[in-house]
Amino acid sequence: MIGGKDIYEVISALAPLYVAMFLAYGSVRWWGIFTAVQCSGINRFVAIFAVPFLGFKFISSLNLYSINYKFIAADTLQKVAILLLLAVWSALVSVNKTASRVLGGGGRLGPEWSITFFALSTLPNTLIVGIPLLEAMYGSYAADLMVQIIVFQGAIWYNVLLFLFEYRAAKALVNERFPGSTREIASIKVDSDVVSLAGAEPLETDSERDADGRLRVRVRRSSFGSSSFNNNSFRLSNLSGVEIYSVQSSPDRSVPSIRYTGREPVSGIPVNPVFFKTDGEGLAWMGPEGHPTFNGPIRVSGNSRTGGAPVVNPDDHHLETSCSKGRGRSYLADEKGGAGGRSTRVSSRKVIDEEAQVEEQQQQPQRDEQESPAAAVMLKLILLMVWRKLIRNPNTYASLLGVIWSLISNRYHVKMPGIISGSISILSSTGLGMAVFSLGLFTALQPRLITCTKMAAGVSMAARFLVGPAVMAATSLAIGIRGQLLHVGIVQAALPLGLVPFVFAKEYDLHADIISTSVIFGMLIALPVTILYNVLLEL
């Protein structure tokens, strides 16, 4: 039976994490110590230096020759089982508009929800929360098991999640640009400067037919997205998935303007005037404070995924967009008098067009039924994009180098030189604290703790804290795991959701509000959930 000492050990392991989160949250929300731009800098340091060095330290110190393959097999079976169940569910589920609306989504409860449920139920925050918590509960042996989970999680399962997101983005791009002609596509070539098909950068597609009448497609950056009006324009990062942003805004909320790339508005990024083309009735100029001034009626149209421009109507002071995904959005604008006439300053508050949502729900089954190019063409495209993102992610190199050094040092009993070891230690020692501090900043930047519907939040919590541990228990028992090892597997499956799924969900514009709620709320209830599981497992 669990005693007071065991509960105290759980609390003592999680309490320091909550202290760091509390200080970070208060520094933004209450005390005003950090601005949103400064939060972005801290998050970037954590993502590029602190977490990679921390991961390298744990992996390189692990003896990979003594991996508990039965434990890893149980964890792998859990993820494979959930993935297969979601694949079957995605193929068989019928249109259910009522349930979809309750969950906060639109259209069919199919492939897109499968991606979200897979992330929610299988990818815990093992590095930041799992290692200190499981070590306090079960000793250093459990911490070594968590590092083993991290190795396979980073090498396989985050890449599987990335593959699913890129598949969704590639299919959407092809169906938008070549409706009814997808079966005729023989090849898709992507320019080397295109990192992702997610829509984070405006893209254009060119096509030509070969001698056999098949389409050969080229994807490149939009010419509109490559220019900038002033020196303050936002520079897209060359690193993949390292920034942690708010669900509704970017780190810099000081400039109420937008940069349009087919996704929701990003506050603090100046509008590129190239995006505002006129049809002869007026021109768009930059007004006071770097905001666009509209001189006369302006109407612009375009495809958002290919770098298309917003539709501007100065008469009702709204900036409207025709999204490639069929989701109509309008952005409130404030009228402001200017020297050169009336100027319109675009706000970053988003107003969802309900009629467009209804239209999207009606059109979603038709889009799901659209054909895709040949499997070989799509597979080659997706693998290329996944590879480009991996080689730009510092965690890829940290994990690879950690594995290589672990194999060498434990095989030949070689110690790392003191200079290198000290350099790594001084940065990795900041990793855990800064990572949790960054999570607190992330929480403070959200408009509210629960950013989705209550039903969606409940479903995400159930997937995270009930479905994942239940399937892990089933797979562990199926391969003969019992005793303390079984307890470790169940508790690690019940850890809060990691930040990587949110970064992907935000980048690919898929249920970022639900994932964000799961990350934040899951971290807040991690302590009572862990104690409850500890009590139940000791019965």
Side-chain angles (χ1 to χ4, degrees), residues 417-465:
I419 296 177
I420 299 177
S421 177
S423 300
I424 293 173
S425 178
I426 198 170
L427 283 171
S428 63
S429 60
T430 68
L432 182 59
M434 288 299 298
V436 180
F437 193 86
S438 177
L439 183 59
L441 298 178
F442 162 77
T443 305
L445 288 175
Q446 308 311 308
R448 54 186 184 275
L449 292 181
I450 300 179
T451 57
C452 60
T453 65
K454 294 180 180 179
M455 177 63 74
V459 171
S460 67
M461 292 298 102
R464 175 66 274 170
F465 295 111

Short mmCIF file of all heavy atoms in Angstrom, two decimals, residues 417-465:
data_model
loop_
_atom_site.label_atom_id
_atom_site.label_comp_id
_atom_site.label_asym_id
_atom_site.label_seq_id
_atom_site.Cartn_x
_atom_site.Cartn_y
_atom_site.Cartn_z
N PRO A 417 36.30 13.55 -23.40
CA PRO A 417 37.29 14.53 -22.90
C PRO A 417 36.65 15.57 -21.99
O PRO A 417 35.50 15.97 -22.21
CB PRO A 417 37.83 15.16 -24.18
CG PRO A 417 37.60 14.13 -25.24
CD PRO A 417 36.34 13.42 -24.85
N GLY A 418 37.40 15.99 -20.98
CA GLY A 418 36.85 16.92 -19.99
C GLY A 418 36.36 18.23 -20.58
O GLY A 418 35.36 18.79 -20.13
N ILE A 419 37.08 18.74 -21.58
CA ILE A 419 36.67 20.02 -22.19
C ILE A 419 35.30 19.88 -22.84
O ILE A 419 34.41 20.73 -22.66
CB ILE A 419 37.72 20.47 -23.22
CG1 ILE A 419 39.05 20.76 -22.53
CG2 ILE A 419 37.22 21.69 -23.98
CD1 ILE A 419 40.16 21.16 -23.47
N ILE A 420 35.11 18.80 -23.59
CA ILE A 420 33.83 18.60 -24.28
C ILE A 420 32.74 18.30 -23.26
O ILE A 420 31.62 18.85 -23.33
CB ILE A 420 33.94 17.45 -25.30
CG1 ILE A 420 34.99 17.80 -26.36
CG2 ILE A 420 32.59 17.16 -25.94
CD1 ILE A 420 35.21 16.69 -27.37
N SER A 421 33.03 17.45 -22.29
CA SER A 421 32.05 17.10 -21.27
C SER A 421 31.59 18.32 -20.48
O SER A 421 30.40 18.50 -20.20
CB SER A 421 32.64 16.06 -20.32
OG SER A 421 31.73 15.76 -19.29
N GLY A 422 32.55 19.18 -20.11
CA GLY A 422 32.20 20.38 -19.37
C GLY A 422 31.37 21.35 -20.18
O GLY A 422 30.43 21.99 -19.67
N SER A 423 31.71 21.49 -21.47
CA SER A 423 30.96 22.39 -22.34
C SER A 423 29.51 21.92 -22.49
O SER A 423 28.58 22.73 -22.50
CB SER A 423 31.63 22.47 -23.71
OG SER A 423 32.96 22.95 -23.60
N ILE A 424 29.34 20.62 -22.62
CA ILE A 424 27.99 20.07 -22.75
C ILE A 424 27.23 20.21 -21.43
O ILE A 424 26.05 20.58 -21.41
CB ILE A 424 28.05 18.60 -23.18
CG1 ILE A 424 28.61 18.49 -24.59
CG2 ILE A 424 26.67 17.94 -23.10
CD1 ILE A 424 28.87 17.07 -25.04
N SER A 425 27.91 19.97 -20.33
CA SER A 425 27.27 19.99 -19.02
C SER A 425 26.75 21.37 -18.67
O SER A 425 25.66 21.52 -18.11
CB SER A 425 28.24 19.50 -17.95
OG SER A 425 27.65 19.57 -16.67
N ILE A 426 27.52 22.41 -19.01
CA ILE A 426 27.12 23.75 -18.61
C ILE A 426 25.85 24.21 -19.34
O ILE A 426 25.07 25.01 -18.83
CB ILE A 426 28.27 24.75 -18.85
CG1 ILE A 426 28.05 26.03 -18.05
CG2 ILE A 426 28.42 25.07 -20.34
CD1 ILE A 426 29.23 26.97 -18.04
N LEU A 427 25.63 23.68 -20.54
CA LEU A 427 24.41 24.00 -21.27
C LEU A 427 23.28 23.04 -20.94
O LEU A 427 22.12 23.44 -20.79
CB LEU A 427 24.67 24.00 -22.78
CG LEU A 427 25.40 25.22 -23.33
CD1 LEU A 427 25.79 25.01 -24.78
CD2 LEU A 427 24.53 26.47 -23.20
N SER A 428 23.60 21.76 -20.82
CA SER A 428 22.54 20.79 -20.53
C SER A 428 21.96 20.98 -19.14
O SER A 428 20.79 20.64 -18.90
CB SER A 428 23.09 19.37 -20.67
OG SER A 428 24.11 19.11 -19.71
N SER A 429 22.75 21.51 -18.21
CA SER A 429 22.24 21.74 -16.86
C SER A 429 21.13 22.79 -16.84
O SER A 429 20.34 22.84 -15.90
CB SER A 429 23.38 22.16 -15.92
OG SER A 429 23.99 23.36 -16.38
N THR A 430 21.10 23.65 -17.86
CA THR A 430 20.02 24.63 -17.95
C THR A 430 18.79 24.04 -18.64
O THR A 430 17.73 24.67 -18.63
CB THR A 430 20.48 25.85 -18.75
OG1 THR A 430 20.69 25.49 -20.13
CG2 THR A 430 21.77 26.43 -18.20
N GLY A 431 18.95 22.88 -19.25
CA GLY A 431 17.91 22.35 -20.12
C GLY A 431 16.58 22.13 -19.45
O GLY A 431 15.54 22.62 -19.91
N LEU A 432 16.56 21.37 -18.33
CA LEU A 432 15.30 21.02 -17.71
C LEU A 432 14.58 22.25 -17.16
O LEU A 432 13.40 22.46 -17.42
CB LEU A 432 15.55 20.01 -16.59
CG LEU A 432 14.30 19.50 -15.87
CD1 LEU A 432 13.36 18.83 -16.86
CD2 LEU A 432 14.68 18.53 -14.75
N GLY A 433 15.32 23.08 -16.41
CA GLY A 433 14.70 24.27 -15.84
C GLY A 433 14.20 25.23 -16.90
O GLY A 433 13.08 25.76 -16.81
N MET A 434 15.01 25.47 -17.93
CA MET A 434 14.60 26.40 -18.98
C MET A 434 13.46 25.83 -19.82
O MET A 434 12.60 26.59 -20.30
CB MET A 434 15.80 26.72 -19.88
CG MET A 434 16.84 27.61 -19.22
SD MET A 434 16.18 29.22 -18.73
CE MET A 434 15.70 29.89 -20.32
N ALA A 435 13.44 24.52 -20.00
CA ALA A 435 12.35 23.92 -20.77
C ALA A 435 11.02 24.09 -20.05
O ALA A 435 9.99 24.43 -20.67
CB ALA A 435 12.64 22.44 -21.02
N VAL A 436 11.00 23.87 -18.73
CA VAL A 436 9.78 24.06 -17.96
C VAL A 436 9.42 25.55 -17.89
O VAL A 436 8.25 25.93 -17.96
CB VAL A 436 9.93 23.47 -16.55
CG1 VAL A 436 8.66 23.67 -15.75
CG2 VAL A 436 10.27 21.99 -16.63
N PHE A 437 10.42 26.40 -17.75
CA PHE A 437 10.19 27.85 -17.75
C PHE A 437 9.57 28.27 -19.09
O PHE A 437 8.64 29.09 -19.12
CB PHE A 437 11.52 28.58 -17.53
CG PHE A 437 11.36 30.03 -17.21
CD1 PHE A 437 11.14 30.47 -15.91
CD2 PHE A 437 11.45 30.99 -18.21
CE1 PHE A 437 11.00 31.81 -15.62
CE2 PHE A 437 11.31 32.33 -17.94
CZ PHE A 437 11.09 32.75 -16.63
N SER A 438 10.08 27.71 -20.18
CA SER A 438 9.52 28.01 -21.49
C SER A 438 8.07 27.55 -21.59
O SER A 438 7.24 28.22 -22.21
CB SER A 438 10.36 27.32 -22.57
OG SER A 438 9.82 27.53 -23.85
N LEU A 439 7.74 26.42 -20.96
CA LEU A 439 6.36 25.96 -20.95
C LEU A 439 5.46 26.94 -20.20
O LEU A 439 4.31 27.17 -20.59
CB LEU A 439 6.29 24.57 -20.30
CG LEU A 439 4.93 23.88 -20.27
CD1 LEU A 439 4.37 23.72 -21.67
CD2 LEU A 439 5.03 22.54 -19.57
N GLY A 440 5.98 27.52 -19.12
CA GLY A 440 5.22 28.55 -18.41
C GLY A 440 5.00 29.79 -19.25
O GLY A 440 3.92 30.40 -19.23
N LEU A 441 6.03 30.21 -20.01
CA LEU A 441 5.86 31.34 -20.93
C LEU A 441 4.82 31.03 -21.99
O LEU A 441 3.99 31.88 -22.35
CB LEU A 441 7.20 31.67 -21.60
CG LEU A 441 8.34 32.12 -20.69
CD1 LEU A 441 9.61 32.36 -21.52
CD2 LEU A 441 7.97 33.38 -19.92
N PHE A 442 4.87 29.81 -22.52
CA PHE A 442 3.90 29.38 -23.51
C PHE A 442 2.48 29.46 -22.94
O PHE A 442 1.55 29.94 -23.60
CB PHE A 442 4.23 27.95 -23.94
CG PHE A 442 3.11 27.23 -24.63
CD1 PHE A 442 2.79 27.51 -25.94
CD2 PHE A 442 2.37 26.27 -23.96
CE1 PHE A 442 1.76 26.83 -26.58
CE2 PHE A 442 1.35 25.59 -24.58
CZ PHE A 442 1.03 25.89 -25.90
N THR A 443 2.31 29.02 -21.69
CA THR A 443 1.00 29.09 -21.06
C THR A 443 0.53 30.53 -20.90
O THR A 443 -0.64 30.85 -21.14
CB THR A 443 1.05 28.40 -19.68
OG1 THR A 443 1.53 27.06 -19.84
CG2 THR A 443 -0.32 28.38 -19.03
N ALA A 444 1.44 31.41 -20.52
CA ALA A 444 1.08 32.82 -20.31
C ALA A 444 0.70 33.52 -21.60
O ALA A 444 -0.08 34.47 -21.59
CB ALA A 444 2.24 33.55 -19.63
N LEU A 445 1.23 33.07 -22.73
CA LEU A 445 0.94 33.71 -24.01
C LEU A 445 -0.41 33.30 -24.58
O LEU A 445 -0.89 33.92 -25.52
CB LEU A 445 2.04 33.37 -25.03
CG LEU A 445 3.40 34.03 -24.81
CD1 LEU A 445 4.41 33.50 -25.81
CD2 LEU A 445 3.29 35.54 -24.92
N GLN A 446 -1.02 32.27 -24.02
CA GLN A 446 -2.32 31.84 -24.52
C GLN A 446 -3.40 32.79 -24.04
O GLN A 446 -3.32 33.34 -22.94
CB GLN A 446 -2.64 30.42 -24.07
CG GLN A 446 -1.56 29.40 -24.37
CD GLN A 446 -1.08 29.46 -25.80
OE1 GLN A 446 -1.87 29.42 -26.72
NE2 GLN A 446 0.22 29.56 -25.98
N PRO A 447 -4.46 32.99 -24.84
CA PRO A 447 -5.54 33.87 -24.41
C PRO A 447 -6.28 33.34 -23.19
O PRO A 447 -6.80 34.10 -22.39
CB PRO A 447 -6.46 33.93 -25.65
CG PRO A 447 -6.13 32.70 -26.43
CD PRO A 447 -4.67 32.45 -26.20
N ARG A 448 -6.35 32.03 -23.04
CA ARG A 448 -6.95 31.40 -21.87
C ARG A 448 -6.43 29.97 -21.77
O ARG A 448 -5.87 29.44 -22.73
CB ARG A 448 -8.48 31.41 -21.94
CG ARG A 448 -9.04 30.81 -23.21
CD ARG A 448 -10.55 30.99 -23.28
NE ARG A 448 -11.12 30.33 -24.44
CZ ARG A 448 -11.19 30.86 -25.65
NH1 ARG A 448 -10.73 32.08 -25.84
NH2 ARG A 448 -11.73 30.21 -26.66
N LEU A 449 -6.62 29.36 -20.61
CA LEU A 449 -6.08 28.03 -20.39
C LEU A 449 -6.75 26.99 -21.27
O LEU A 449 -6.10 26.09 -21.79
CB LEU A 449 -6.24 27.64 -18.91
CG LEU A 449 -5.40 28.43 -17.91
CD1 LEU A 449 -5.62 27.91 -16.50
CD2 LEU A 449 -3.91 28.36 -18.26
N ILE A 450 -8.07 27.10 -21.43
CA ILE A 450 -8.81 26.19 -22.29
C ILE A 450 -9.21 26.96 -23.54
O ILE A 450 -10.11 27.79 -23.51
CB ILE A 450 -10.05 25.62 -21.58
CG1 ILE A 450 -9.63 24.85 -20.32
CG2 ILE A 450 -10.83 24.70 -22.51
CD1 ILE A 450 -10.79 24.26 -19.54
N THR A 451 -8.53 26.71 -24.64
CA THR A 451 -8.74 27.47 -25.87
C THR A 451 -9.71 26.79 -26.83
O THR A 451 -9.98 27.32 -27.89
CB THR A 451 -7.40 27.70 -26.59
OG1 THR A 451 -6.80 26.44 -26.86
CG2 THR A 451 -6.47 28.53 -25.73
N CYS A 452 -10.20 25.60 -26.47
CA CYS A 452 -11.16 24.90 -27.32
C CYS A 452 -12.46 24.73 -26.53
O CYS A 452 -12.61 25.25 -25.42
CB CYS A 452 -10.60 23.54 -27.75
SG CYS A 452 -10.20 22.44 -26.38
N THR A 453 -13.42 24.01 -27.10
CA THR A 453 -14.66 23.75 -26.38
C THR A 453 -14.41 22.81 -25.20
O THR A 453 -13.43 22.07 -25.17
CB THR A 453 -15.70 23.12 -27.32
OG1 THR A 453 -15.23 21.83 -27.74
CG2 THR A 453 -15.93 23.99 -28.54
N LYS A 454 -15.33 22.84 -24.24
CA LYS A 454 -15.17 21.99 -23.07
C LYS A 454 -15.25 20.51 -23.45
O LYS A 454 -14.55 19.67 -22.86
CB LYS A 454 -16.23 22.33 -22.03
CG LYS A 454 -16.06 23.73 -21.43
CD LYS A 454 -17.14 24.01 -20.41
CE LYS A 454 -16.96 25.43 -19.82
NZ LYS A 454 -18.02 25.74 -18.82
N MET A 455 -16.10 20.19 -24.41
CA MET A 455 -16.20 18.81 -24.85
C MET A 455 -14.89 18.34 -25.47
O MET A 455 -14.40 17.24 -25.19
CB MET A 455 -17.35 18.66 -25.84
CG MET A 455 -17.50 17.26 -26.42
SD MET A 455 -17.88 16.03 -25.16
CE MET A 455 -19.61 16.45 -24.85
N ALA A 456 -14.30 19.19 -26.32
CA ALA A 456 -13.03 18.83 -26.94
C ALA A 456 -11.93 18.68 -25.90
O ALA A 456 -11.08 17.79 -25.99
CB ALA A 456 -12.63 19.89 -27.97
N ALA A 457 -11.94 19.57 -24.89
CA ALA A 457 -10.95 19.47 -23.81
C ALA A 457 -11.12 18.16 -23.06
O ALA A 457 -10.14 17.49 -22.71
CB ALA A 457 -11.09 20.65 -22.87
N GLY A 458 -12.38 17.77 -22.78
CA GLY A 458 -12.63 16.52 -22.09
C GLY A 458 -12.17 15.31 -22.89
O GLY A 458 -11.58 14.37 -22.33
N VAL A 459 -12.43 15.34 -24.19
CA VAL A 459 -11.99 14.23 -25.05
C VAL A 459 -10.47 14.14 -25.08
O VAL A 459 -9.89 13.05 -25.02
CB VAL A 459 -12.56 14.40 -26.48
CG1 VAL A 459 -11.94 13.39 -27.43
CG2 VAL A 459 -14.08 14.24 -26.46
N SER A 460 -9.80 15.29 -25.17
CA SER A 460 -8.33 15.28 -25.21
C SER A 460 -7.75 14.77 -23.90
O SER A 460 -6.76 14.02 -23.90
CB SER A 460 -7.81 16.69 -25.51
OG SER A 460 -8.08 17.59 -24.44
N MET A 461 -8.35 15.13 -22.77
CA MET A 461 -7.87 14.62 -21.48
C MET A 461 -8.10 13.11 -21.37
O MET A 461 -7.26 12.38 -20.84
CB MET A 461 -8.59 15.34 -20.34
CG MET A 461 -8.24 16.82 -20.19
SD MET A 461 -6.50 17.14 -19.82
CE MET A 461 -5.93 17.63 -21.46
N ALA A 462 -9.24 12.65 -21.87
CA ALA A 462 -9.52 11.21 -21.83
C ALA A 462 -8.51 10.44 -22.69
O ALA A 462 -8.02 9.38 -22.30
CB ALA A 462 -10.94 10.94 -22.30
N ALA A 463 -8.22 10.99 -23.89
CA ALA A 463 -7.25 10.33 -24.76
C ALA A 463 -5.87 10.29 -24.13
O ALA A 463 -5.15 9.29 -24.23
CB ALA A 463 -7.20 11.05 -26.11
N ARG A 464 -5.51 11.37 -23.44
CA ARG A 464 -4.17 11.47 -22.86
C ARG A 464 -4.03 10.61 -21.61
O ARG A 464 -3.04 9.88 -21.45
CB ARG A 464 -3.89 12.94 -22.54
CG ARG A 464 -2.61 13.26 -21.82
CD ARG A 464 -1.40 12.98 -22.63
NE ARG A 464 -1.03 11.58 -22.45
CZ ARG A 464 -0.14 10.93 -23.14
NH1 ARG A 464 0.50 11.49 -24.06
NH2 ARG A 464 0.12 9.66 -22.93
N PHE A 465 -4.99 10.69 -20.69
CA PHE A 465 -4.81 10.08 -19.37
C PHE A 465 -5.56 8.76 -19.19
O PHE A 465 -5.37 8.10 -18.16
CB PHE A 465 -5.24 11.06 -18.28
CG PHE A 465 -4.36 12.28 -18.21
CD1 PHE A 465 -4.84 13.53 -18.58
CD2 PHE A 465 -3.05 12.19 -17.78
CE1 PHE A 465 -4.04 14.66 -18.51
CE2 PHE A 465 -2.24 13.31 -17.72
CZ PHE A 465 -2.73 14.55 -18.09
#
